[in-house]
Amino acid sequence: GLIGSNKAYDRTTTAAATGTAVLSGVISGDTVTLGGTPVYAFADAAVGTGKAISTTGLSLSGAQAANYSITQPSLMANITAKALTVSGLIGSNKAYDRTTTAAATGTAVLSGVISGDTVILGGTPVYAFADAAVGNGKAISTTGYSLSGAQAANYSITQPSLMANITAKALTVS
Protein backbone atom coordinates (compact mmCIF):
# COMPACT_ATOMS: atom_id res chain seq x y z
CA GLY A 1 0.00 0.00 0.00
CA LEU A 2 3.00 2.38 -0.02
CA ILE A 3 4.52 4.18 -2.99
CA GLY A 4 7.89 5.97 -2.92
CA SER A 5 7.68 9.73 -3.52
CA ASN A 6 9.84 11.44 -6.15
CA LYS A 7 11.86 14.46 -5.06
CA ALA A 8 14.24 17.07 -6.43
CA TYR A 9 17.91 16.74 -5.49
CA ASP A 10 18.55 18.27 -2.05
CA ARG A 11 21.89 16.66 -1.09
CA THR A 12 20.18 14.35 1.43
CA THR A 13 19.08 10.73 1.31
CA THR A 14 15.79 11.55 3.04
CA ALA A 15 12.87 9.89 1.26
CA ALA A 16 9.11 9.81 1.67
CA ALA A 17 6.20 7.57 0.76
CA THR A 18 2.51 8.00 0.14
CA GLY A 19 -0.32 5.57 0.73
CA THR A 20 -1.29 3.43 3.68
CA ALA A 21 0.84 0.56 4.91
CA VAL A 22 -1.18 -2.65 5.11
CA LEU A 23 -0.18 -6.01 6.60
CA SER A 24 -0.70 -9.06 4.44
CA GLY A 25 -0.41 -12.67 5.53
CA VAL A 26 -1.95 -12.47 9.02
CA ILE A 27 -3.90 -15.66 9.71
CA SER A 28 -7.60 -15.10 10.26
CA GLY A 29 -8.44 -14.88 13.95
CA ASP A 30 -5.00 -13.60 15.02
CA THR A 31 -4.66 -10.11 16.41
CA VAL A 32 -1.65 -8.44 14.82
CA THR A 33 -1.43 -4.75 14.06
CA LEU A 34 1.10 -2.66 12.21
CA GLY A 35 2.63 0.27 14.08
CA GLY A 36 5.79 2.22 14.53
CA THR A 37 7.09 5.26 12.75
CA PRO A 38 8.51 4.48 9.33
CA VAL A 39 11.73 6.14 8.20
CA TYR A 40 12.50 6.10 4.48
CA ALA A 41 15.95 6.62 2.91
CA PHE A 42 17.54 6.54 -0.52
CA ALA A 43 20.87 4.70 -0.65
CA ASP A 44 22.54 7.90 -1.91
CA ALA A 45 21.54 11.48 -2.70
CA ALA A 46 22.49 11.52 -6.40
CA VAL A 47 20.00 12.14 -9.20
CA GLY A 48 18.58 8.96 -10.73
CA THR A 49 15.45 7.10 -11.74
CA GLY A 50 13.99 4.03 -10.05
CA LYS A 51 16.23 4.48 -7.02
CA ALA A 52 15.71 2.06 -4.13
CA ILE A 53 14.24 3.40 -0.90
CA SER A 54 14.84 1.44 2.29
CA THR A 55 12.32 1.46 5.12
CA THR A 56 12.91 1.05 8.85
CA GLY A 57 10.75 1.62 11.90
CA LEU A 58 7.58 -0.38 11.19
CA SER A 59 6.71 -2.83 13.97
CA LEU A 60 4.10 -5.37 14.98
CA SER A 61 1.92 -5.44 18.06
CA GLY A 62 -1.08 -7.42 19.26
CA ALA A 63 -1.82 -10.70 21.04
CA GLN A 64 -0.18 -12.90 18.39
CA ALA A 65 2.52 -10.45 17.18
CA ALA A 66 5.31 -12.66 18.60
CA ASN A 67 4.28 -15.38 16.11
CA TYR A 68 5.09 -13.14 13.12
CA SER A 69 8.06 -11.30 11.68
CA ILE A 70 7.85 -8.23 9.52
CA THR A 71 9.67 -7.48 6.29
CA GLN A 72 10.14 -3.75 5.91
CA PRO A 73 8.87 -2.59 2.51
CA SER A 74 11.31 -1.79 -0.30
CA LEU A 75 10.14 1.12 -2.40
CA MET A 76 11.43 3.00 -5.45
CA ALA A 77 11.29 6.62 -6.59
CA ASN A 78 13.21 9.18 -8.63
CA ILE A 79 15.52 11.97 -7.57
CA THR A 80 15.34 14.67 -10.22
CA ALA A 81 17.88 17.39 -10.95
CA LYS A 82 17.54 20.62 -8.97
CA ALA A 83 16.92 23.55 -11.31
CA LEU A 84 19.40 26.42 -11.10
CA THR A 85 18.95 29.90 -12.52
CA VAL A 86 21.37 32.41 -13.98
CA SER A 87 20.95 36.00 -12.79
CA GLY A 88 22.96 39.21 -12.94
CA LEU A 89 22.48 39.92 -16.65
CA ILE A 90 20.64 42.73 -18.42
CA GLY A 91 19.69 42.67 -22.09
CA SER A 92 21.35 45.37 -24.20
CA ASN A 93 19.32 47.71 -26.38
CA LYS A 94 20.38 48.01 -30.02
CA ALA A 95 19.48 49.84 -33.19
CA TYR A 96 17.73 47.90 -35.95
CA ASP A 97 20.28 45.97 -38.05
CA ARG A 98 18.08 43.30 -39.72
CA THR A 99 19.48 40.54 -37.43
CA THR A 100 18.19 38.89 -34.28
CA THR A 101 21.63 39.04 -32.66
CA ALA A 102 21.40 40.30 -29.10
CA ALA A 103 23.83 41.06 -26.28
CA ALA A 104 23.82 41.31 -22.52
CA THR A 105 25.77 43.20 -19.89
CA GLY A 106 26.53 42.29 -16.31
CA THR A 107 28.05 39.26 -14.65
CA ALA A 108 26.31 35.90 -14.85
CA VAL A 109 25.74 34.44 -11.38
CA LEU A 110 24.49 30.92 -10.68
CA SER A 111 21.68 30.81 -8.12
CA GLY A 112 20.38 27.83 -6.16
CA VAL A 113 23.46 25.63 -5.62
CA ILE A 114 23.23 23.82 -2.27
CA SER A 115 26.01 24.74 0.14
CA GLY A 116 28.86 22.24 0.01
CA ASP A 117 28.29 21.26 -3.64
CA THR A 118 30.78 22.23 -6.33
CA VAL A 119 28.92 23.47 -9.42
CA ILE A 120 30.48 25.93 -11.85
CA LEU A 121 28.74 28.03 -14.51
CA GLY A 122 30.48 27.91 -17.86
CA GLY A 123 29.86 27.71 -21.57
CA THR A 124 29.56 30.37 -24.23
CA PRO A 125 26.23 32.17 -24.08
CA VAL A 126 24.43 33.16 -27.27
CA TYR A 127 21.67 35.76 -27.06
CA ALA A 128 18.94 36.24 -29.67
CA PHE A 129 15.82 38.34 -30.16
CA ALA A 130 12.81 36.36 -31.45
CA ASP A 131 12.68 38.66 -34.50
CA ALA A 132 14.58 41.66 -35.88
CA ALA A 133 11.71 44.17 -35.87
CA VAL A 134 11.81 47.42 -33.89
CA GLY A 135 10.06 47.18 -30.52
CA ASN A 136 10.28 47.82 -26.78
CA GLY A 137 10.66 45.14 -24.11
CA LYS A 138 11.47 42.42 -26.63
CA ALA A 139 12.34 38.99 -25.26
CA ILE A 140 15.91 37.77 -25.63
CA SER A 141 16.48 34.00 -25.46
CA THR A 142 19.75 32.60 -24.19
CA THR A 143 21.51 29.35 -25.03
CA GLY A 144 24.99 28.04 -24.31
CA TYR A 145 25.40 28.20 -20.56
CA SER A 146 26.50 24.88 -19.06
CA LEU A 147 27.40 23.37 -15.69
CA SER A 148 30.54 21.61 -14.54
CA GLY A 149 31.97 20.52 -11.22
CA ALA A 150 31.78 17.51 -8.93
CA GLN A 151 28.01 17.70 -8.32
CA ALA A 152 26.94 19.25 -11.66
CA ALA A 153 25.07 16.07 -12.68
CA ASN A 154 22.62 16.69 -9.82
CA TYR A 155 21.53 20.03 -11.29
CA SER A 156 19.91 21.42 -14.40
CA ILE A 157 20.24 24.97 -15.64
CA THR A 158 17.51 27.35 -16.69
CA GLN A 159 18.94 29.65 -19.34
CA PRO A 160 18.22 33.31 -18.52
CA SER A 161 15.40 35.16 -20.26
CA LEU A 162 16.22 38.81 -20.83
CA MET A 163 14.52 41.82 -22.40
CA ALA A 164 15.74 44.82 -24.39
CA ASN A 165 14.65 47.29 -27.04
CA ILE A 166 15.37 47.39 -30.74
CA THR A 167 15.20 51.01 -31.79
CA ALA A 168 14.74 52.41 -35.26
CA LYS A 169 17.93 52.87 -37.26
CA ALA A 170 18.66 56.54 -37.81
CA LEU A 171 18.99 57.53 -41.46
CA THR A 172 20.55 60.66 -42.88
CA VAL A 173 19.66 62.50 -46.04
CA SER A 174 22.52 63.87 -48.07
Side-chain angles (χ1 to χ4, degrees):
L2 296 173
I3 298 170
S5 298
N6 297 333
K7 74 171 190 174
Y9 172 77
D10 65 0
R11 200 169 190 222
T12 71
T13 58
T14 302
T18 59
T20 303
V22 178
L23 280 178
S24 61
V26 176
I27 298 171
S28 180
D30 281 357
T31 302
V32 180
T33 57
L34 182 63
T37 304
V39 176
Y40 307 103
F42 286 101
D44 63 64
V47 167
T49 58
K51 295 181 66 98
I53 297 174
S54 63
T55 306
T56 58
L58 292 174
S59 59
L60 300 176
S61 61
Q64 286 78 35
N67 297 322
Y68 293 89
S69 64
I70 187 172
T71 301
Q72 302 286 330
S74 295
L75 308 172
M76 298 183 97
N78 303 329
I79 298 178
T80 58
K82 181 179 188 323
L84 301 178
T85 57
V86 177
S87 60
L89 298 171
I90 298 171
S92 298
N93 296 334
K94 75 171 192 173
Y96 172 78
D97 65 2
R98 199 174 182 205
T99 71
T100 59
T101 302
T105 59
T107 302
V109 176
L110 197 55
S111 300
V113 176
I114 298 170
S115 179
D117 280 358
T118 302
V119 181
I120 302 161
L121 179 65
T124 304
V126 176
Y127 307 102
F129 286 101
D131 63 62
V134 169
N136 290 327
K138 296 181 67 95
I140 298 174
S141 64
T142 307
T143 59
Y145 279 112
S146 59
L147 301 175
S148 62
Q151 287 77 33
N154 294 318
Y155 294 89
S156 64
I157 187 169
T158 300
Q159 302 287 330
S161 294
L162 308 173
M163 297 182 91
N165 303 330
I166 298 178
T167 59
K169 179 174 174 50
L171 299 177
T172 58
V173 177
S174 58

